């Protein structure tokens, strides 16, 4: 069982989907230790695009990589959500005060929220009634420069630790690439989609295989209240995401026009 010398400090769980040795994770881990005791549980290799995937057909292994005052680091062969589940159920001495995921190398704005392993881990935190934040930088370079993002990561972590978040809500934070960021904008998720393309190849045995690629399409480029607009203008975008994906406005419509009542079914 993990034990900390200063148990009065907040307990923070840190994970990601780029792997335990990713630069963004190192930065987030370092900042998190300023606020509390930190346990890092991260995948042993990059597992991007995993969303909320869990491992059910293979055993999971956990290896402790390091331990120093206020910080434990582990890696596992699981997905980002596996990392959170393992931490909550087998590693942590108590329920953490905050789950942090990232800092992802690459954008998770707009519709990418549905595919992202970074945000899958944050969502898993909220599913367990723990405040959670997913951080991403719009730079896929393994050696990306995170220096300009540090003050904003600190500010957002501090706010959530002090004030919490609304029920069933996690934050999707995306940060532009560059040295000069203009500030933070609280905004909504842009409507967008990935224009996907499968590149066809042939292996040495003459068997066809396919490699997924594509480009992102912003479906409302004129909107000025979205994460895509904020990022294009040089702002850090903060989107509050909710667990409940019910379209509440459609319930009455479906009741009235689509789903037959019991009496109608009986008459047929």
């Amino acid at each position: 069982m993990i034990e900390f010398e200063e148990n009065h400090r907040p307990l923070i769980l840190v994970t990601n989907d780029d792997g335990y040795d990713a630069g963004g994770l190192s930065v987030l881990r370092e900042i998190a230790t300023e606020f509390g005791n930190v346990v890092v549980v991260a995948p042993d290799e990059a597992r991007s695009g995993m969303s909320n995937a869990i491992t059910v057909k293979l055993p999971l292994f956990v290896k402790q990589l390091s331990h120093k005052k206020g910080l434990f680091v582990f890696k596992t062969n699981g997905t980002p959500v596996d990392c959170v589940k393992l931490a909550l159920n087998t590693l942590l001495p108590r329920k953490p005060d905050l789950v942090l995921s990232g800092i992802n190398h690459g954008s998770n704005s707009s519709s990418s929220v549905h595919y992202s392993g970074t945000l899958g881990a944050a969502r898993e935190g909220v599913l367990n009634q723990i405040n959670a934040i997913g951080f991403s930088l719009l730079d896929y370079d393994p050696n990306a420069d995170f220096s300009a993002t540090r003050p904003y990561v600190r500010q957002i972590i501090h706010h959530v630790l002090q004030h919490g978040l609304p029920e069933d809500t996690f934050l999707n934070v995306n940060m532009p690439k560059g040295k000069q960021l203009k500030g933070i904008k609280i905004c909504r998720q842009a409507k967008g989609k990935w224009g996907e393309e499968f590149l066809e190849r042939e292996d040495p045995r003459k068997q066809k295989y396919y490699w997924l690629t594509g480009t992102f399409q912003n479906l409302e480029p004129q909107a000025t209240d979205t994460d895509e607009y904020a990022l294009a203008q040089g702002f850090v975008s903060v989107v509050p995401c909710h667990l409940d994906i019910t379209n509440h406005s459609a319930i009455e419509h479906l009741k009235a026009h689509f789903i037959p009542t019991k009496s109608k079914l009986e008459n047929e």
Side-chain angles (χ1 to χ4, degrees):
M1 176 69 72
I2 293 173
E3 293 184 1
F4 290 101
E5 296 176 19
E6 299 178 88
N7 289 322
H8 64 280
R9 304 188 78 205
L11 178 58
I12 301 173
L13 172 62
V14 178
T15 189
N16 73 345
D17 72 359
D18 288 320
Y20 73 98
D21 56 352
L25 179 71
S26 177
V27 172
L28 186 58
R29 177 182 72 191
E30 178 186 330
I31 295 172
T33 58
E34 299 173 15
F35 293 92
N37 293 320
V38 175
V39 176
V40 178
V41 185
D44 57 5
E45 61 182 25
R47 285 186 168 81
S48 299
M50 287 288 182
S51 188
N52 277 73
I54 56 175
T55 303
V56 295
K57 294 186 177 181
L58 295 171
L60 293 174
F61 300 93
V62 179
K63 180 179 180 180
Q64 182 174 324
L65 299 178
S66 63
H67 166 224
K68 59 183 180 180
K69 185 177 180 180
L71 174 65
F72 286 83
V73 181
F74 300 85
K75 70 175 181 178
T76 176
N77 59 317
T79 68
V81 170
D82 288 331
C83 292
V84 177
K85 287 182 176 292
L86 282 167
L88 297 183
N89 290 283
T90 68
L91 297 173
L92 296 180
R94 63 174 177 86
K95 188 174 182 177
D97 300 285
L98 184 62
V99 172
L100 302 177
S101 187
I103 301 171
N104 191 65
H105 291 248
S107 174
N108 277 316
S109 59
S110 186
S111 59
S112 294
V113 67
H114 299 293
Y115 303 101
S116 166
T118 301
L119 296 174
R123 190 180 294 111
E124 184 65 24
V126 179
L127 283 167
N128 287 276
Q129 294 81 52
I130 305 164
N131 288 324
I133 313 168
F135 291 99
S136 303
L137 174 68
L138 276 64
D139 189 346
Y140 291 94
D141 190 334
N143 299 310
D145 182 2
F146 291 89
S147 57
T149 71
R150 287 175 178 264
Y152 297 99
V153 173
R154 288 190 182 96
Q155 180 180 345
I156 294 166
I157 292 174
H158 175 75
H159 177 87
V160 173
L161 283 173
Q162 290 294 311
H163 303 287
L165 291 169
E167 186 178 4
D168 294 342
T169 300
F170 64 95
L171 299 183
N172 179 16
V173 179
N174 284 272
M175 299 171 285
K177 177 182 178 180
K179 295 285 189 181
Q180 302 296 324
L181 305 186
K182 295 181 180 179
I184 293 174
K185 281 193 178 293
I186 309 299
C187 44
R188 67 175 176 87
Q189 174 187 319
K191 294 179 182 177
K193 63 168 290 187
W194 282 90
E196 294 167 345
E197 180 182 356
F198 284 88
L199 301 180
E200 184 179 300
R201 296 287 187 267
E202 192 175 83
D203 71 11
R205 295 189 175 116
K206 305 299 181 182
Q207 293 180 310
K208 289 183 181 179
Y209 66 92
Y210 298 88
W211 196 268
L212 175 63
T213 184
T215 55
F216 175 75
Q217 302 170 18
N218 184 355
L219 300 180
E220 44 181 348
Q222 305 307 315
T224 60
D225 61 342
T226 70
D227 51 4
E228 287 295 319
Y229 180 82
L231 292 164
Q233 299 301 310
F235 289 90
V236 174
S237 71
V238 178
V239 176
C241 301
H242 200 246
L243 291 185
D244 183 0
I245 61 172
T246 305
N247 184 348
H248 291 273
S249 64
I251 290 176
E252 293 305 318
H253 171 82
L254 291 173
K255 285 181 178 179
H257 302 290
F258 181 69
I259 300 177
T261 63
K262 183 178 180 181
S263 59
K264 287 182 180 179
L265 287 172
E266 288 174 345
N267 291 334
E268 292 176 359

